[in-house]
Amino acid sequence: MGALAVCAAWAPFADPDQLGGLAAVALGVLGYSVVQLVVALRGGPPAAGPVRVRRVRQQHRLLSRSWVEIVPASGGEGRWVPVHFHPVLLGMVERTVPAAEALRPDGVRLFPAGRVRRAEPPGQLVDNPSRPDPDAAGRGGVRRRLVLDAQSAVAAPFAALFWIYLDGGGLGAFAGACSVAAVGALWLAAVRGSDPS
């Protein structure tokens, strides 16, 4: 909603070309958000019977995400599900549960943040501890999430300079393009399921 609000706030000050750019960003944000919502509400991986589940945190470049690894208890190929961060993930230990409960640790529903994978995700994978950490609750706050997600907003001034180069404009156009690029980067990191832990 923040990305759409910033686009709407700059719309009265935009010329026709800038208005087209704002509309394109807003449509992109809405479209991808709807796709992610459908993925999240569609559920988790197809599985039957008891499964072993564990949470793994992925570090890949500037990306940090939580994944739930789901392996049939009888053996076989596992699945990797990227999930939106929830503090319950910090205390999630490996366990065997019915397949229907694979994305419901401690009764909290986790929402998928992308496609289910059959292969291990790229990057450095950090396993959750074998015992819950009593101090884990302090590692998932809003401030930590903003600090993590804001890393990708560093490119916003460069995107704004590129927009000024293509379309022209002065300081106002630069400020508008910079703020739209920054909130767009924050939105993209959040909608893809960043993990502030």
Side-chain angles (χ1 to χ4, degrees):
M1 296 304 285
L4 295 176
V6 169
C7 288
W10 282 106
F13 307 106
D15 65 25
D17 289 337
Q18 294 166 348
L19 198 57
L22 289 172
V25 169
L27 285 175
V29 166
L30 279 174
Y32 193 69
S33 294
V34 167
V35 167
Q36 285 294 88
L37 182 64
V38 168
V39 167
L41 294 178
R42 227 175 55 200
V51 294
R52 286 191 334 267
V53 297
R54 70 182 180 127
R55 180 249 184 172
V56 176
R57 187 172 54 83
Q58 172 200 28
Q59 280 295 139
H60 184 61
R61 298 185 182 119
L62 290 179
L63 179 69
S64 177
R65 294 175 89 176
S66 282
W67 294 75
V68 175
E69 182 184 15
I70 302 172
V71 179
S74 59
E77 187 178 79
R79 305 271 195 245
W80 296 80
V81 182
V83 293
H84 288 283
F85 180 77
H86 191 282
V88 75
L89 286 168
L90 298 173
M92 186 175 166
V93 295
E94 185 172 344
R95 60 183 107 184
T96 301
V97 297
E101 299 296 314
L103 294 180
R104 292 185 181 271
D106 301 330
V108 175
R109 182 161 194 245
L110 299 175
F111 292 99
R115 294 181 305 122
V116 176
R117 294 177 54 113
R118 292 179 186 265
E120 186 175 282
Q124 178 184 4
L125 302 177
V126 181
D127 289 338
N128 238 22
S130 59
R131 293 187 310 263
D133 182 4
D135 300 327
R139 291 197 308 260
V142 174
R143 193 170 128 233
R144 283 182 65 107
R145 177 177 291 265
L146 283 175
V147 167
L148 173 70
D149 293 348
Q151 294 176 33
S152 55
V154 169
F158 300 106
L161 285 172
F162 185 65
W163 176 259
I164 296 299
Y165 175 74
L166 290 178
D167 189 50
L171 187 58
F174 175 80
C178 189
S179 62
V180 168
V183 297
L186 285 171
W187 161 82
L188 187 60
V191 79
R192 292 192 64 219
S194 63
D195 181 347
S197 67

